[in-house]
Amino acid sequence: MDFLVALFRNLIEHKDWPMSQACTDSYNKTLKKWHGWLASSSFTVVMKLAPDRKKFMEVIGGTGNINADIEKFCTTFSPLLEENHKFLARLGLDDMKAS
């Protein structure tokens, strides 16, 4: 979920970035630290299959104002994620890495 919020923020804040750059930046900020070599390498390969940014925005946008919807999602969901992170930290489960 952190990845999605970071991706949506990148799509709003960096309108000139292609989808692969927005995804890679989001991955590096959120998921990469949890992945080993194989998962990280797989992500690099998958990025070659990333959809075109314009097409992606059309598909998720429907008929509404996609930028406003993304902003609302990020603003509403980020505090929930933060609470989840705090909960996991209290239980000592915030530093579990994939093997």
Side-chain angles (χ1 to χ4, degrees), residues 3 6 8 10 24-25 42 46 51 61 71 79 94-97:
F3 172 80
F8 287 153
N10 278 341
T24 299
D25 181 76
S42 297
V46 169
E71 189 60 45
D94 59 329
D95 197 21
M96 296 179 68
K97 205 171 196 180

Side-chain angles (χ1 to χ4, degrees), residues 33-34 84-97:
K33 64 184 172 188
W34 307 110
N84 188 47
H85 289 297
K86 288 177 185 177
F87 173 75
L88 292 172
R90 278 195 314 270
L91 298 177
L93 300 172
D94 59 329
D95 197 21
M96 296 179 68
K97 205 171 196 180

Side-chain angles (χ1 to χ4, degrees), residues 1-14 22-23 25-27 29-31 56 69-82 85:
M1 298 310 295
D2 289 309
F3 172 80
L4 287 177
V5 170
L7 175 60
F8 287 153
R9 287 200 189 281
N10 278 341
L11 291 173
I12 294 295
E13 295 171 7
H14 304 284
C23 288
D25 181 76
S26 301
Y27 177 79
K29 289 177 179 175
T30 61
L31 296 174
F56 178 80
D69 290 344
I70 287 174
E71 189 60 45
K72 183 176 180 181
F73 172 80
C74 291
T75 301
T76 304
F77 198 68
S78 292
L80 299 173
L81 279 177
E82 186 59 36
H85 289 297

